Amino acid sequence: MRRVAPVLALLLLIALPACTSEPKEAGHTTLTVLLDQEVTAAQRSVVEQRLRAMPSVEDIALETRDQAYEKLRKDMPDLLADLDPEDLPESLRATVTDASVAEAVEQVMGTVDGVESAILRIADADPMPSRIGAIVRLEPTATKEQRAAAEEAVRALPRAESIEFENRDAAYERLRKQCRGKGDLAAQLDAQMARGSLRLQLAVDGKGRTGLPEIGRLDGVEAVRLVPVSML
């Protein structure tokens, strides 16, 4: 069966959406927890319980395969030639209201049994911010050459500013510090979850384009996330 989680993650990077009828505050993030294709009802229940126990997580809703297919039909119809609804994963969608813990929640939820991946994205807001944050996460095995290529591509973005590199150890310590006083979230973090990353700010053009999908395809890049500036 075709793995479509990377395709769905890429879809979230193509352009910032227009505001919905129920926009969130500019500091909020949307968390999408993609479930494994073969997830059982028991596993789905455990994943949802874990998500509901996370601090600052609200508005949790299940998106079925049919709902995901209909969304793709509207946003990326070219994919449907190769996909059927059963090819798509179910997912849990939620809002994280505290930017300081959003990254930790994403990383912890991504390791729960029955989860394919967890994806953070800046929530729709009214008005959309003129400047957003971006996190370009590197694979643990990324070479110096791959990191350099990713950094070169980031610095070539026409609206990129405040570009900084954070190594894995610094990322882990930062996340643990931010999670203090947030229940047992810090205890659920593991150093192996942390990733080195390039972190930057982007001024958004009128069409919501970022130029980041191409960077997400580079060797050594594990993921790219669009986030509120307050998360950086």
Side-chain angles (χ1 to χ4, degrees), residues 39-74:
V39 67
T40 66
Q43 287 175 321
R44 186 191 305 110
S45 177
V46 170
V47 173
E48 184 172 352
Q49 290 175 20
R50 287 286 298 273
L51 186 57
R52 291 188 182 279
M54 291 289 166
S56 303
V57 172
E58 301 178 354
D59 304 328
I60 298 169
L62 175 69
E63 182 177 85
T64 66
R65 290 180 170 89
D66 287 340
Q67 290 170 330
Y69 186 84
E70 180 62 20
K71 185 177 292 185
L72 272 180
R73 188 183 67 80
K74 294 179 180 178

Side-chain angles (χ1 to χ4, degrees), residues 29 31 96 98-107 120 175 185 231:
T29 54
L31 178 66
V96 187
D98 184 347
S100 69
V101 301
E103 203 170 353
V105 170
E106 178 199 30
Q107 292 189 12
L120 269 183
L175 290 172
L185 183 55
M231 273 188 60

Side-chain angles (χ1 to χ4, degrees), residues 17 26 30 39-40 57 83 87 94 105 117 133 136-137 142 155 203 215 218:
T30 298
V39 67
T40 66
V57 172
L83 292 175
D87 294 325
V105 170
S117 63
V136 179
R137 291 188 186 136
R155 293 190 180 280
I215 293 175
L218 293 176

Side-chain angles (χ1 to χ4, degrees), residues 3-12 30-39 43-44 47 51 61-65 68 71-72 87-94 106 109-120 225:
R3 291 171 63 88
V4 297
V7 176
L8 297 180
L10 181 61
L11 177 60
L12 297 179
T30 298
L31 178 66
T32 301
V33 179
L34 297 175
L35 302 176
D36 287 336
Q37 288 284 359
E38 307 302 325
V39 67
Q43 287 175 321
R44 186 191 305 110
V47 173
L51 186 57
L62 175 69
E63 182 177 85
T64 66
R65 290 180 170 89
K71 185 177 292 185
L72 272 180
D87 294 325
L88 301 175
E90 295 179 314
S91 63
L92 290 165
R93 305 295 177 102
E106 178 199 30
M109 289 305 305
T111 66
V112 177
D113 287 343
V115 173
E116 168 71 19
S117 63
I119 305 169
L120 269 183
R225 300 290 186 255

Side-chain angles (χ1 to χ4, degrees), residues 131 155 159-165 199-201 232:
R131 188 173 300 277
R155 293 190 180 280
R159 296 175 296 278
E161 299 177 359
S162 304
I163 301 167
E164 296 182 354
F165 175 75
R199 306 170 78 85
L200 61 142
Q201 296 183 28
L232 300 179

